[in-house]
Amino acid sequence: MSQLIHVQENGLHLVLEVTPEQDVRLFHFGTGELREGAISNGQKPGFRLMELQLTGEDRAEYHGRTHRATFPGLRMRYEAHADIRNKAGRKLEIVLRDPDTSLRAVQHFQFYDGLQTVKAWVTLSNEGTEELGVEYVSSFALTGLDKEGALDRDDKMALYIPHSGWQSELQWRTYSLPELGMSHLTDRSSKRVSCSNTGSWSAAEHIPMAVLENREAGSSLFWQIEHNGSWHWEIIDQNDFLTLLLSGPTEHDNHWWISLAPGEEFVSVPVAVGAALGGFEEAIGQLTAYRRRIRRPNADNRDLRIIFNDYMNCLWGSPTTAKLLPLIDAAAEAGCEYFCIDAGWYAAGEWWDGVGEWMPSPERFPEGIKYVLDYIRGKGMVPGLWLELEVMGINSPKLAGTDDSWFFMRHGRRVKDRSRYQLDYRNPRVVAHANEVIRRLVEDYGVGYIKMDYNINAGIGTETDADSFGDGLLQHNRAYLAWLDGIFARYPDLVIENCSSGGMRMDYAMLSRHSIQSTSDQENYVNYAAIAAASPSALTPEQSAIWSYPLREGDDEEVVFNMVNALLLRVHQSGHLAELSPRRRELVKEALDYYKTIRKDIPEALPFWPLGLPKQQDEWISLGLRRGGSVYLAVWRIGGASPTRTLPLPALRGEQLDIRCAYPQGFDCSWSWDAERGELQVTLASVKSARLFEIHPKR
């Protein structure tokens, strides 16, 4: 007789079967019960709990480039399972063993009380006598993604993929599977729909997440891969069903391979997977709650203090005492609470390829940088500095005290990218160097905010003390996270912004630690609107730092548009505030004063998009935050001939509402509410304009 393991927790249902032959199959993961008869006996063998490929082992079936039908994945046998509780919630552990190699694998499912999301990962232990080469291991595998409902998967499944790129972050697109080349023509094919990242920019082309909606069943499956380096996910078809495989790096996709010696253990990259009734917004609501749960507790995500940074459309990495003092005065007057001096503070002139020592430039700061930092503090703001601690410029004076062991190496040469070398955080001397830089800034200079940038991609990895290039990268990725954990343990009140040329490392390995994320280096405020509006899909609103940079030559509507970009998220103020006209400066202050009245709601609000997920091609964009019965709604008119747009608000249908334009005051703007239809009609007379509305139930 087969043994069924049925876990029902927090609205999630997980059903596993242990066969008489000790095969383990994951039949179901979703919001409802497993429908009787949904899986035929002939299809059941395809519902494997994990895929695992060792070097020298066979592959079964026709597989193409997919990671299905692996060995010893097909050979793994049930040994035991544990169903326990810990501080987070319920935890299920399934223990498997390969009888041929004595490789032991534990599949972990960590539930979180009150959330419809689990964290999943696999631990491999070599309990045999021979070294084992590992080419692939899934952190989560689920077959039957399309088994709910009667329609064919070509007609009912929609896949949301977040494309990304430098200055073009968070470009969501929605596809049917045939649009991606996976038409349902056979019970299994060699085709896969996949996203993969190779290198140290985890979000260089895609954010490591996606949402799969079953529109017939009215439910969604969502996932994120929590890693700051290489990762891979794929959707394949087998046994006439769809299968999802989530993992960290793989050999075939990411140059990762390890040799697991007897007695050694390997832990796979963790992933989060969840299910929700509803579509994309419901899925993101569940992910938002989960992201808040797993994040390092910190005051910054409660207080949401306003940051001024002198870089964007302002000093452009060339700060001096003379340039900074009037900016500091203007930022304090506007109501900013952090003031961060960005790049360039450590070099007399061109600084790009000389970074690494992190000592202040006496030419830029004749009185010493501490004079300026103290001036910031005297204006009631917390001083901050920019760093890029994972690299060293090829002309850095610090190189004299280093050797090759400090850096990524490939084929006997240092890895070089954009005139920088990649530091290897597995090296204790690298860690000591980084620790001393942080100590000096925090303890000697009194810095309370660090913008931690990362402007290179180190590629496939390093050969030093590694079984493969990808193994070296993964080890470094984890060593860097461990270093970061140590810094936050030492300085718990220090705010460190996660920046990688903007949003090129927007992942929840980093964001479970950092309280704030730079979302883009986008220099055009109009283009920024779509990025800002999409950002709460990839991170919590209170972690999403959005540049607002009024231009010296702009007009009033330009200031308002800039400010609306940031007001529902984290305000990352910049621009030449000291050189704006008094009227335009007052518009900045009005926005920041208003932000301080609503920011207490942002850490508990959930996002929604009345006009759908924003695209750069859209003429109108809208982002809403909902907390309880209150709604904050940003509306941007980018272009188009019509000054009026209707915004569907179905959650408010039938309600009598108090609606006001909260920012700016006294500007041309009109609106009307159709309670029966649940529609808000907004009129903005000019293109490139924006408004922020507050909506509350009438009392």
Side-chain angles (χ1 to χ4, degrees), residues 281 608-613 621-624 633-634 645-650:
E281 287 182 0
F608 67 99
W609 295 269
L611 299 177
L613 284 163
I621 292 169
S622 183
L623 165 67
L633 188 67
R645 187 63 191 263
T646 299
L647 283 71
L649 301 175

Side-chain angles (χ1 to χ4, degrees), residues 129-287:
T129 59
E130 303 290 333
E131 289 198 358
L132 302 174
V134 183
E135 299 179 2
Y136 177 84
V137 59
S138 60
S139 292
F140 179 84
L142 177 65
T143 297
L145 310 180
D146 52 329
K147 67 183 186 300
E148 279 72 45
L151 293 177
D152 190 85
R153 63 176 178 252
D154 285 1
D155 301 317
K156 67 186 178 185
M157 306 303 291
L159 180 61
Y160 299 79
I161 296 178
H163 300 270
S164 208
W166 183 62
Q167 294 204 38
S168 58
E169 292 84 354
L170 292 156
Q171 297 295 299
W172 284 92
R173 294 295 183 271
T174 308
Y175 305 93
S176 69
L177 294 176
E179 287 175 329
L180 294 168
M182 184 182 274
S183 296
H184 189 188
L185 302 175
T186 182
D187 66 331
R188 70 184 189 281
S189 69
S190 61
K191 174 65 179 177
R192 64 180 184 175
V193 173
S194 65
C195 282
S196 198
N197 177 75
T198 299
S200 53
W201 270 359
S202 59
E205 294 182 279
H206 298 94
I207 308 295
M209 64 175 292
V211 176
L212 181 67
E213 182 182 359
N214 184 329
R215 288 178 169 168
E216 181 188 8
S219 61
S220 296
L221 185 77
F222 52 88
W223 59 90
Q224 67 179 22
I225 299 176
E226 297 173 359
H227 186 50
N228 52 329
S230 299
W231 52 265
H232 179 78
W233 65 257
E234 62 185 53
I235 293 175
I236 62 176
D237 51 2
Q238 60 177 344
N239 297 76
D240 218 26
F241 281 122
L242 294 174
T243 295
L244 172 68
L245 298 175
L246 306 178
S247 72
T250 81
E251 180 173 48
H252 293 293
D253 299 289
N254 315 105
H255 302 265
W256 175 87
W257 177 90
I258 59 167
S259 178
L260 199 64
E264 285 188 340
E265 182 178 278
F266 173 75
V267 180
S268 74
V269 165
V271 302
V273 189
L277 289 173
F280 183 86
E281 287 182 0
E282 288 76 16
I284 296 302
Q286 290 290 335
L287 260 179

